[in-house]
Amino acid sequence: MTLSFFDQFMSPTYLGIPLIAVALTLPWILFPTPSARWLNNRLITLQGWFINRFTQQLLLPLNLGGHKWAVMLTSLMLFLISLNMLGLLPYTFTPTTQLSLNMGLAVPLWLATVIIGMRNQPTAALGHLLPEGTPVPLIPVLIIIETISLFIRPLALGVRLTANLTAGHLLIQLIATAAFVLLPMMPTVAVLTSIVLFLLTLLEIAVAMIQAYVFVLLLSLYLQENV
């Protein structure tokens, strides 16, 4: 029983072919295609409003140099939200519960922000490793600590997204199993457990959107330090 709880996080295969590629491609197919008409349907209008509002909030603290990242950060946000939300449907696989995928997204983007900072303003980028007014004896120790914290950033990005989604999926499966087992023995308790399951599902929908937003927001903050 314990092992079966974690089977949902295994990458599914069909005829030896990993289906994670299908799971990564599907969200892009579901997005409605914008048209050149002045008036669109409600779905496309809502999508455009959401993208505009999110892009404005995301680029608010960035200068003009960081606005070049608007398309990539907004696309990443929509992509992560779609993957997280589709993973809450029954009989689906959530690719963002795989640490390898999240690290594959976090490390290149974090490294790009660091390279941009080193290329455009190397003095300011290296200045983050040593706070102003540091006593001389503490300089070597603080440089080591700040360097370690700099390299931990992509790991924190990937682990945060993986841990939150994995914990939510496990809680949903545990409570659903408890409700199913208690139904023939204690129907009242099973109904209460089902109510808790429904509330937890609503919470997981919020977590799926919030974690995608936090992932992109932290990337924009890293970019702000280097542009």
Side-chain angles (χ1 to χ4, degrees):
M1 178 65 70
T2 304
L3 293 177
S4 64
F5 287 147
F6 293 91
D7 288 344
Q8 59 177 319
F9 304 116
M10 298 175 59
S11 181
T13 58
Y14 181 73
L15 298 177
I17 302 173
L19 297 182
I20 188 171
V22 178
L24 292 175
T25 308
L26 185 60
W28 300 112
I29 303 175
L30 298 178
F31 293 149
T33 304
S35 64
R37 296 180 300 174
W38 284 97
L39 294 177
N40 298 308
N41 57 44
R42 293 182 178 88
L43 180 60
I44 297 181
T45 303
L46 182 63
Q47 173 187 307
W49 176 85
F50 171 76
I51 292 175
N52 290 334
R53 293 296 300 172
F54 169 73
T55 307
Q56 290 176 3
Q57 293 295 324
L58 188 65
L59 301 182
L60 198 59
L62 297 177
N63 56 23
L64 292 178
H67 291 186
K68 301 174 184 178
W69 288 58
V71 175
M72 181 164 55
L73 292 179
T74 305
S75 301
L76 180 62
M77 168 76 171
L78 294 174
F79 184 59
L80 290 177
I81 285 182
S82 302
L83 288 179
N84 296 345
M85 297 292 288
L86 289 175
L88 294 174
L89 297 175
Y91 303 105
T92 57
F93 171 67
T94 313
T96 44
T97 56
Q98 304 295 312
L99 183 60
S100 57
L101 173 67
N102 295 333
M103 293 300 295
L105 293 173
V107 172
L109 293 173
W110 164 83
L111 188 59
T113 62
V114 174
I115 292 175
I116 287 176
M118 290 295 183
R119 186 189 64 179
N120 295 341
Q121 44 182 11
T123 304
L126 294 175
H128 291 300
L129 301 180
L130 185 62
E132 187 177 355
T134 304
V136 177
L138 295 179
I139 288 179
V141 178
L142 278 180
I143 290 177
I144 295 174
I145 293 175
E146 291 295 332
T147 304
I148 293 174
S149 67
L150 177 66
F151 283 97
I152 283 179
R153 284 179 173 181
L155 181 63
L157 279 177
V159 170
R160 181 187 294 107
L161 183 59
T162 304
N164 280 281
L165 295 179
T166 302
H169 283 64
L170 281 176
L171 277 176
I172 287 177
Q173 186 169 2
L174 285 170
I175 296 178
T177 304
F180 181 76
V181 171
L182 291 173
L183 185 60
M185 298 183 293
M186 293 180 286
T188 305
V189 179
V191 170
L192 295 177
T193 307
S194 301
I195 296 175
V196 173
L197 177 62
F198 175 74
L199 296 177
L200 181 62
T201 304
L202 296 180
L203 177 63
E204 280 305 305
I205 293 175
V207 168
M209 294 186 289
I210 291 172
Q211 288 304 315
Y213 175 72
V214 168
F215 189 92
V216 177
L217 179 64
L218 290 177
L219 277 176
S220 68
L221 293 179
Y222 300 157
L223 180 64
Q224 179 187 355
E225 297 179 358
N226 294 284
V227 295

